[in-house]
């Protein structure tokens, strides 16, 4: 199933607003087994909107269009769809009544301009929006390749995501049936560079229909095994090959972020954080843990031997930078294990996130029954402590 996304709005074309909707949607569809083939961005220009809608419909079985359904003069998407597919704008009285009822329920008179949001392409299917006045709609167009279905959604992220999850994804599942053209398996590494991973993983080709993708998401590298019609046997073989190469630096797998996976391992056990050089970056990874105490002290020691933690329970301490690096200490039920690491990242914020995750990885390894001290290729270790 070929899918394309069209994002609309001058604010996106000019860069005044980052198009997070399209990124979120692409990732969501990939998780469902459908890879987006093309994304386009177009401003609030009727001629350009019509052209991009016609172009996408000529190629794709499904086109997802985001934005331009508001009540103002520069919201032109419904008009563009009507003209592009010869389905004149028509008043949908049921949706107009819905808008009026929502204003009445809030004790406010509906502005006349909102009536525009009930004028939709003739013959389209309305997609409900329970949290806004802009309904979505579905236009079916007979193209050269067969039927193209174009789903139009509001651009407000909260409304857009609800409509996608509740209105559009169920329809796509019915449309695709058992057919999924893509399988995605995610893996997360830490302490190894993207280029070093490439040297290990890209020397030999992957099986037909399988590709490996990389995404740097500081402080991690995400690796994606993407199968296009590949068999389960081939995907399992590719995964085994991948894990054989990256297992020393593997910190998570699946769709959940590694930090959340580590907190799941922690369960309901209390955790104390004491941060110096990381300046709250460790708290950023752990803030969802219900049994958490966090402290910041810019005067934490820079010597590993002087770093302290909690005498009981679990604690992570990140010291202050010194000539040998930054000391990290895990205290687990009276046992203290520490190391001093040197970060080499030119961006201070990224450096703090690297330190924070290195400490969190010590906790992960402890909870998983692995040696707490790991050998990272990107983080030289200058000192080690066990007592």
């Amino acid at each position: 199933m070929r899918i394309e996304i069209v994002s609309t709005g001058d604010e996106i074309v000019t860069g005044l607003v980052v198009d997070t909707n399209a990124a979120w949607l692409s990732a969501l569809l990939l998780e469902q087994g459908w890879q987006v083939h093309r994304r386009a961005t177009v401003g609030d220009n009727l001629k350009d909107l019509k052209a991009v809608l016609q172009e996408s419909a000529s190629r794709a079985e499904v086109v997802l269009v985001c934005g331009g359904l508001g009540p103002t003069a520069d919201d032109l998407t419904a008009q563009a769809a009507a003209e592009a597919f010869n389905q004149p704008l028509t008043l949908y009285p049921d949706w107009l009544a819905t808008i009026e009822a929502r204003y009445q329920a809030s004790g406010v008179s509906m502005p006349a301009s909102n009536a525009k949001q009930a004028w939709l392409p003739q013959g389209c299917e309305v997609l409900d929006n329970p949290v806004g006045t802009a309904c979505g709609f579905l236009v079916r167009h007979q193209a050269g390749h067969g039927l193209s279905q174009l789903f139009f959604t509001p651009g407000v992220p909260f409304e857009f995501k609800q409509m996608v999850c509740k209105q559009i994804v169920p329809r796509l599942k019915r449309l695709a049936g058992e057919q999924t053209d893509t399988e995605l398996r995610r893996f997360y590494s830490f302490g190894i560079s993207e280029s070093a991973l490439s040297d290990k993983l890209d020397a030999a080709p992957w099986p037909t229909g399988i590709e490996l993708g990389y995404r740097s998401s500081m402080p991690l590298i995400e690796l994606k095994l993407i199968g296009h019609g590949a068999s389960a046997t081939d995907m399992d073989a590719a995964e085994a090959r991948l894990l054989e190469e990256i297992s020393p630096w593997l910190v998570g797998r699946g769709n959940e972020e590694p930090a959340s996976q580590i907190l799941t391992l922690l369960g309901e056990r209390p955790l104390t954080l004491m941060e110096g050089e990381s300046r709250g970056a460790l708290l950023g990874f752990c803030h969802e843990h219900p049994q958490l105490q966090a402290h910041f002290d810019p005067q934490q020691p820079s010597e590993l031997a002087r770093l302290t933690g909690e005498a009981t329970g679990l604690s992570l301490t990140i010291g202050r930078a010194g000539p040998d690096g930054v000391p990290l200490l895990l205290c687990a039920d009276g046992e203290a294990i520490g190391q001093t690491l040197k970060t080499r990242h030119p961006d201070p914020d990224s450096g703090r996130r690297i330190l924070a995750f290195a400490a969190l990885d010590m906790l992960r390894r402890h909870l998983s029954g692995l040696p707490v001290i790991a050998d990272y290729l990107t983080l030289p270790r200058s000192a080690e402590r066990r007592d």
Side-chain angles (χ1 to χ4, degrees):
M1 183 165 65
R2 184 180 177 91
I3 301 177
E4 298 192 9
I5 295 174
V6 176
S7 302
T8 74
D10 286 344
E11 68 280 5
I12 295 175
V13 173
T14 57
L16 295 175
V17 172
V18 177
D19 187 7
T20 57
N21 282 349
W24 175 86
L25 179 57
S26 293
L28 175 71
L29 294 175
L30 189 59
E31 290 170 5
Q32 300 296 323
W34 310 306
Q35 185 167 6
V36 173
H37 287 77
R38 187 176 295 201
R39 282 172 24 186
T41 305
V42 61
D44 298 316
N45 178 282
L46 186 60
K47 181 180 177 181
D48 291 343
L49 282 164
K50 289 166 56 178
V52 77
L53 293 177
Q54 290 168 337
E55 290 166 9
S56 289
S58 72
R59 292 185 299 261
E61 298 158 88
V62 172
V63 182
L64 299 156
V65 187
C66 177
L69 302 183
T72 60
D74 61 348
D75 289 307
L76 300 171
T77 301
Q79 181 181 348
E83 295 184 14
F85 304 114
N86 298 313
Q87 297 177 215
L89 286 177
T90 303
L91 178 64
Y92 278 62
D94 288 348
W95 187 252
L96 179 60
T98 297
I99 300 173
E100 291 173 336
R102 288 181 183 169
Y103 273 101
Q104 185 176 7
S106 63
V108 179
S109 298
M110 186 191 83
S113 60
N114 280 105
K116 174 184 178 179
Q117 295 174 296
W119 286 83
L120 307 172
Q122 188 177 62
C124 72
E125 178 183 345
V126 172
L127 305 177
D128 185 33
N129 179 0
V131 291
T133 58
C135 67
F137 56 91
L138 167 59
V139 170
R140 296 178 173 87
H141 172 68
Q142 196 63 42
H145 60 79
L147 184 66
S148 180
Q149 302 196 51
L150 298 97
F151 295 85
F152 294 81
T153 70
V156 178
F158 179 67
E159 299 178 25
F160 163 76
K161 291 178 180 180
Q162 284 219 21
M163 190 173 293
V164 167
C165 293
K166 295 183 178 180
Q167 299 285 330
I168 296 176
V169 168
R171 286 172 168 81
L172 294 182
K173 287 182 176 179
R174 290 195 294 270
L175 177 64
E178 296 299 318
Q179 174 195 359
T180 55
D181 53 19
T182 304
E183 181 182 354
L184 172 67
R185 300 187 186 184
R186 283 192 169 104
F187 309 86
Y188 300 89
S189 65
F190 175 73
I192 182 171
S193 68
E194 193 170 357
S195 56
L197 286 168
S198 178
D199 287 347
K200 292 177 176 295
L201 298 170
D202 295 338
W206 293 88
T208 301
I210 296 176
E211 62 183 72
L212 177 65
Y214 301 81
R215 183 177 73 94
S216 178
S217 179
M218 187 59 62
L220 309 176
I221 303 293
E222 178 188 353
L223 299 106
K224 301 183 289 290
L225 271 180
I226 305 173
H228 303 282
S231 68
T233 300
D234 283 347
M235 287 295 290
D236 289 345
E239 178 177 321
R241 171 183 156 189
L242 176 75
L243 293 176
E244 183 178 2
E245 294 290 349
I246 72 166
S247 58
W249 306 279
L250 182 73
V251 294
R253 56 190 297 174
N255 293 327
E256 188 179 15
E257 290 292 328
S260 296
Q261 295 182 32
I262 296 169
L263 295 181
T264 298
L265 288 175
L266 187 58
E268 297 183 359
R269 295 184 64 181
L271 176 65
T272 301
L273 309 179
M274 289 172 279
E275 297 193 67
E277 196 66 31
S278 53
R279 301 186 188 182
L282 184 54
L283 174 60
F285 285 125
C286 301
H287 69 275
E288 294 181 356
H289 185 57
Q291 299 291 325
L292 185 69
Q293 291 189 35
H295 311 275
F296 170 64
D297 181 3
Q299 301 305 316
Q300 284 280 1
S302 60
E303 300 85 6
L304 180 59
R306 295 179 54 213
L307 214 58
T308 61
E310 294 292 293
T312 59
L314 287 169
S315 67
L316 291 169
T317 307
I318 300 178
R320 183 165 47 89
D324 296 325
V326 179
L328 314 176
L329 186 69
L330 166 71
C331 290
D333 301 319
E335 181 184 11
I337 303 175
Q339 59 182 330
T340 299
L341 300 176
K342 291 187 175 182
T343 59
R344 297 179 290 194
H345 202 286
D347 174 54
D349 286 340
S350 296
R352 288 189 278 269
R353 288 176 61 82
I354 291 170
L355 288 170
F357 196 88
L360 196 59
D361 193 39
M362 294 171 68
L363 176 63
R364 176 190 71 86
R365 299 178 71 85
H366 168 73
L367 295 171
S368 302
L370 300 171
V372 170
I373 303 297
D375 292 321
Y376 303 125
L377 299 185
T378 56
L379 289 171
R381 184 171 59 249
S382 60
E384 190 172 330
R385 167 185 164 188
R386 297 175 185 273
D387 51 54

